[in-house]
Amino acid sequence: MQIFGVDIGGSGIKGAPVDLDKGDLTQERCKVLTPHPATPDGVADGVKEVVEHFGWTGPVGLTFPGVVTGGATIRTAANVDKSWIDKDAGALFAERLGGLPVTVVNDADAAGVAEMHFGAGQGRKGTVILLTFGTGIGSALFVNGILVPNTELGHLELNGHDAEKKASSKAKEDGELTWEHWAHRVQKYLAHVEMLFSPELFIIGGGVSRKADKFLHFIEDIKAEIVPAQLQNNAGIVGAAMHAAGDD
Ligand code: BGC
């Protein structure tokens, strides 16, 4: 079965049809830049452009970089326009896509579900935490393969700061930090998450998962196994489609 997946991020809106049996895109994905400010209207237009690029007329699963409750209502908007808060994103996207059936799920939860089924978390029991390092830090917590949604561990306090402000990959870029300096912050962050949840496995996702060789060796003294995500930048798209299919 195929469902269209869209991953809405702080910098880009990416989408493609997904083959749910393989956990892979069936065509090269299409990406448009996330508008700034990332208002509901602007983002919905970007989503429409991506979906129309493929002439898609079936169900669409979308991710959102904030807390999503009650099916498709947005509750937080750390890195997008605050007017998203309390918005029924499902209704907005369905209207903009001419009535196509849509679902909405947190972006890190979507990436986590995809990694657990098709990537680095396959068959892993116990507590597994996927963390995505990008514009913010997203988290997906699994206990024996079951997702505990909307954990928002990127907003834990780290040295008196919102952790994602110090340890996201945007923080690395903005501060022009070396890999070693940034990894030191990530290490402190992981130690804090480990103190709270004692996971067996950390999966490191987001764009940095492709550059694991540049920083993972700087991370020491963490008891859990640490591995890079395998689906890399497509995990959100695949997970969004899985959520729409009810496969998570
Ligand atoms: C948001 C999360 C999101 C993460 C990654 C955070 O700022 O609060 O919901 O998963 O960024 O996009």
Side-chain angles (χ1 to χ4, degrees), residues 8-10 64-68 76-79 106-109 132 134-139 150 152 154-155 162 164:
I8 299 174
F64 187 82
V67 171
V68 184
T76 67
N79 294 304
N106 171 265
D107 57 353
D109 286 344
T132 62
T135 309
I137 297 177
S139 62
N150 293 310
E152 293 292 316
H155 298 296
D162 187 12
E164 74 173 20

Side-chain angles (χ1 to χ4, degrees), residues 14-223:
K14 301 164 283 188
V18 175
D19 179 330
L20 290 166
D21 298 319
K22 297 194 186 130
D24 208 357
L25 314 188
T26 65
Q27 294 178 56
E28 200 176 323
R29 69 186 191 176
C30 165
K31 174 176 173 176
V32 301
L33 293 181
T34 304
H36 288 286
T39 57
D41 258 347
V43 171
D45 283 343
V47 167
K48 181 177 154 80
E49 195 180 329
V50 169
V51 174
E52 281 185 350
H53 175 82
F54 295 86
W56 186 262
T57 54
V60 179
L62 300 111
T63 73
F64 187 82
V67 171
V68 184
T69 60
T73 303
I74 306 307
R75 297 298 182 194
T76 67
N79 294 304
V80 287
D81 195 71
K82 301 291 176 240
S83 59
W84 276 103
I85 294 173
D86 293 336
K87 190 117 207 133
D88 181 345
L92 170 72
F93 294 132
E95 173 268 312
R96 200 60 53 98
L97 295 175
L100 298 185
V102 303
T103 59
V104 186
V105 62
N106 171 265
D107 57 353
D109 286 344
V113 162
E115 285 293 332
M116 292 301 284
H117 278 77
F118 296 110
Q122 274 182 83
R124 298 295 296 244
K125 298 284 181 221
T127 303
V128 175
I129 298 180
L130 169 126
L131 297 165
T132 62
F133 293 83
T135 309
I137 297 177
S139 62
L141 169 66
F142 294 86
V143 181
N144 292 329
I146 309 280
L147 172 70
V148 181
N150 293 310
T151 43
E152 293 292 316
L153 302 182
H155 298 296
L156 287 173
E157 192 179 306
L158 188 65
N159 293 342
H161 299 274
D162 187 12
E164 74 173 20
K165 294 273 181 298
K166 293 284 160 189
S168 62
S169 41
K170 180 169 188 294
K172 177 182 180 300
E173 278 159 34
D174 291 352
E176 296 179 11
L177 307 182
T178 61
W179 284 105
E180 185 170 6
H181 187 168
W182 178 72
H184 186 64
R185 292 185 183 183
V186 173
Q187 144 118 30
K188 276 195 182 157
Y189 173 66
L190 292 179
H192 190 64
V193 176
E194 177 155 76
M195 186 266 291
L196 292 171
F197 296 101
S198 302
E200 261 103 297
L201 173 68
F202 280 118
I203 302 174
I204 306 298
V208 291
S209 57
R210 271 173 295 156
K211 297 181 182 149
D213 56 320
K214 297 218 189 294
F215 69 94
L216 274 190
H217 58 282
F218 290 125
I219 296 179
E220 295 165 340
D221 298 330
I222 301 291
K223 291 181 192 68

